[in-house]
Amino acid sequence: CRDSSGLRFYLTSKLREHDLGYLSFGSASSAFGIAIPPSTDRFEINTYCHANATKNFPKNGITVVSSFPHTHLQGKSVSTKLIRNQSVASYLFNADAFDFNYQFENRLPKRIQLYPIYFNFHIIE
């Protein structure tokens, strides 16, 4: 059997109207990032995307159209929340029962805009 699949790239000097990219976030992929104690029935890992991760976003934001959760073989449930003003604004993904063998790209019913977060530092002497 011979596979004839592949990729074809086209180069142009003309910018397209829309760009597509991937934004990945989660816990560190190391023994310190995900350390599940032995003989544990349930173990919860909470991670947060620091505001510094948005510093290179354009001022008009980025548009999120889908999410793709991944927990390797250990995850039993997974959710990704967008938190604004200290409350959940929406979910990018929410599965109480997650199965590694049935992963899929979750297309959002409504696009979500993410904006850069700026900090104002005040030095008081």
Side-chain angles (χ1 to χ4, degrees):
C1 179
R2 185 172 216 168
D3 183 3
S4 62
S5 63
L7 295 173
R8 185 172 290 164
F9 291 95
Y10 296 93
L11 302 177
T12 179
S13 59
K14 183 180 176 185
L15 291 177
R16 301 203 179 225
E17 182 181 356
H18 302 286
D19 288 329
L20 175 68
Y22 288 92
L23 173 65
S24 299
F25 53 90
S27 53
S29 295
S30 70
F32 300 107
I34 304 173
I36 301 172
S39 303
T40 302
D41 290 336
R42 181 175 171 82
F43 185 73
E44 191 170 312
I45 298 173
N46 289 302
T47 60
Y48 301 91
C49 182
H50 191 276
N52 198 29
T54 69
K55 70 182 180 183
N56 292 323
F57 285 12
K59 287 184 180 182
N60 60 345
I62 63 171
T63 305
V64 179
V65 296
S66 66
S67 67
F68 187 85
H70 184 72
T71 65
H72 295 269
L73 293 171
Q74 301 304 315
K76 301 297 180 201
S77 67
V78 63
S79 67
T80 305
K81 304 174 213 176
L82 175 60
I83 298 174
R84 289 190 172 139
N85 300 320
Q86 299 180 344
S87 64
V88 176
S90 61
Y91 281 86
L92 277 70
F93 191 85
N94 190 14
D96 289 330
F98 180 76
D99 188 335
F100 178 85
N101 296 307
Y102 298 100
Q103 296 184 61
F104 61 92
E105 177 185 10
N106 180 50
R107 291 242 164 146
L108 301 176
K110 184 178 176 187
R111 295 176 177 184
I112 295 174
Q113 286 295 118
L114 297 181
Y115 300 97
I117 300 170
Y118 299 102
F119 290 105
N120 292 323
F121 293 100
H122 299 282
I123 299 174
I124 300 171
E125 295 184 27

